[in-house]
Amino acid sequence: MPAELSPIDKAKFAAARRAVDFIQDGMKVGLGTGSTAAWMVRCLAERVREERLKIAGVPTSTRTAELARELGIEVVTLDEAKWLDVTIDGADEFDPELNLIKGGGGALLQEKIVATASDQMIVITDAAKEVAHLGAFPLPVEVVPFGWQTTRALIEEMLVSMDVMGRETTLRQNGGKPFVTDEGNYIVDCHLKRIGNPRQLSLVLNQIPGVVENGLFIDLCDIVIIGGAEGEVEVRDINEGTVTQGRVDFAEESNIFSDLD
């Protein structure tokens, strides 16, 4: 039940619940990956069940696809959908311009492709993810396995000329072996501490042979929804220049928690 959830889970749920209010019947929706996005999928599934909402969901990872199908959301591929009305996803960090670092869950490539193929991107998060400058969270860079050590060395060499505070890189591990993405690639996490020019860094990273994509999401997020542990939500729309406040009543949301007991 809601009372048994941690404050951070309550904040994630509040943001997710508010985000699905943007979804209308007939929409094609990008479904993000991660713990906050999982709450969104649950909330969306509840609307599908109770309102008989007809939507097509394009998941950004195999685990999101499995959850969506399990909860009764129609899942289609991006090729089938072609273009999306909205994508709702989480973020590891966001700055005042709503630039993001994503990829902590390892799905940054599909997440960026889906977000780019959407009319609108909504990010759901909690206040702890807001930063003045990106970079405290390690920046994920997806690389092909072939020659990954050379690619990593090229990344480190390039970082010398970038406006960053740190240049340490690590290969992401999973059970003592390299973490492998849904596309069969590796992830090099860059511990930069502070990124002075995210746009420049993103462009230069993607010019390095062996780099598939990086976790900087620049000019993609339109709305960020920040949830709080007491159900409070703040909606920032960068295109409209508006900030609105609201609240989610946990007492009215018992259905979504029924399968968590």
Side-chain angles (χ1 to χ4, degrees):
M1 298 299 290
E4 299 169 350
L5 295 178
S6 68
I8 190 66
D9 277 335
K10 289 182 178 180
K12 291 177 179 180
F13 168 74
R17 181 62 188 84
R18 177 65 182 89
V20 299
D21 289 341
F22 285 86
I23 298 177
Q24 301 175 16
D25 192 53
M27 278 188 168
K28 292 179 284 188
V29 182
L31 306 176
T33 294
S35 58
T36 310
W39 282 114
M40 177 272 299
V41 174
R42 290 182 180 277
C43 292
L44 179 57
E46 185 181 43
R47 285 197 64 195
V48 169
R49 289 194 303 268
E50 295 187 353
E51 303 174 30
R52 297 186 178 180
L53 199 68
K54 294 188 181 299
I55 64 104
V58 175
T60 55
S61 67
T62 54
R63 57 187 181 277
T64 295
E66 290 168 357
L67 178 61
R69 290 191 183 99
E70 177 186 334
L71 296 176
I73 296 174
E74 179 188 359
V75 170
V76 300
T77 67
L78 183 57
D79 287 335
E80 290 170 330
K82 294 183 173 59
W83 195 260
L84 308 180
D85 297 287
V86 63
T87 286
I88 304 178
D89 205 346
D92 298 303
E93 281 187 347
F94 70 95
D95 70 9
E97 286 74 45
L98 304 194
N99 295 316
L100 319 169
I101 285 182
K102 289 179 53 55
L108 66 97
L109 179 56
Q110 288 190 24
E111 288 173 337
K112 188 174 282 192
I113 291 171
V114 169
T116 303
S118 303
D119 287 335
Q120 186 178 54
M121 183 186 189
I122 299 174
V123 165
I124 48 180
T125 185
D126 59 85
K129 304 294 178 60
E130 182 174 10
V131 295
H133 301 279
L134 298 177
F137 190 91
L139 174 65
V141 180
E142 187 159 340
V143 303
V144 296
F146 175 80
W148 73 266
Q149 294 187 59
T150 298
T151 303
R152 176 181 172 182
L154 289 170
I155 292 171
E156 292 175 343
E157 181 180 352
M158 176 274 298
L159 289 174
V160 173
S161 62
M162 292 292 105
D163 184 6
V164 296
M165 289 184 64
R167 296 193 295 272
E168 179 188 356
T169 67
T170 55
L171 181 69
R172 188 175 298 184
Q173 299 287 309
N174 181 26
K177 298 180 180 179
F179 175 88
V180 179
T181 69
D182 280 354
E183 290 75 33
N185 297 317
Y186 293 168
I187 288 182
V188 173
D189 288 310
C190 301
H191 305 267
L192 308 178
K193 300 180 181 178
R194 180 185 183 277
I195 301 172
N197 192 331
R199 188 184 308 276
Q200 179 192 39
L201 179 59
S202 180
L203 290 171
V204 175
L205 271 170
N206 284 5
Q207 292 176 2
I208 296 175
V211 170
V212 180
E213 189 51 84
N214 70 82
L216 287 166
F217 283 51
I218 311 297
D219 298 334
L220 285 174
C221 177
D222 299 286
I223 294 173
V224 65
I225 302 178
I226 306 166
E230 301 301 320
E232 66 273 22
V233 290
E234 179 176 288
V235 181
R236 301 182 192 174
D237 187 322
I238 196 166
N239 298 315
E240 299 295 331
T242 58
V243 179
T244 57
Q245 309 290 335
R247 181 171 293 276
V248 170
D249 187 353
F250 293 140
E252 297 179 357
E253 304 294 342
S254 59
N255 289 345
I256 199 69
F257 300 95
S258 60
D259 59 349
L260 300 179
D261 295 342

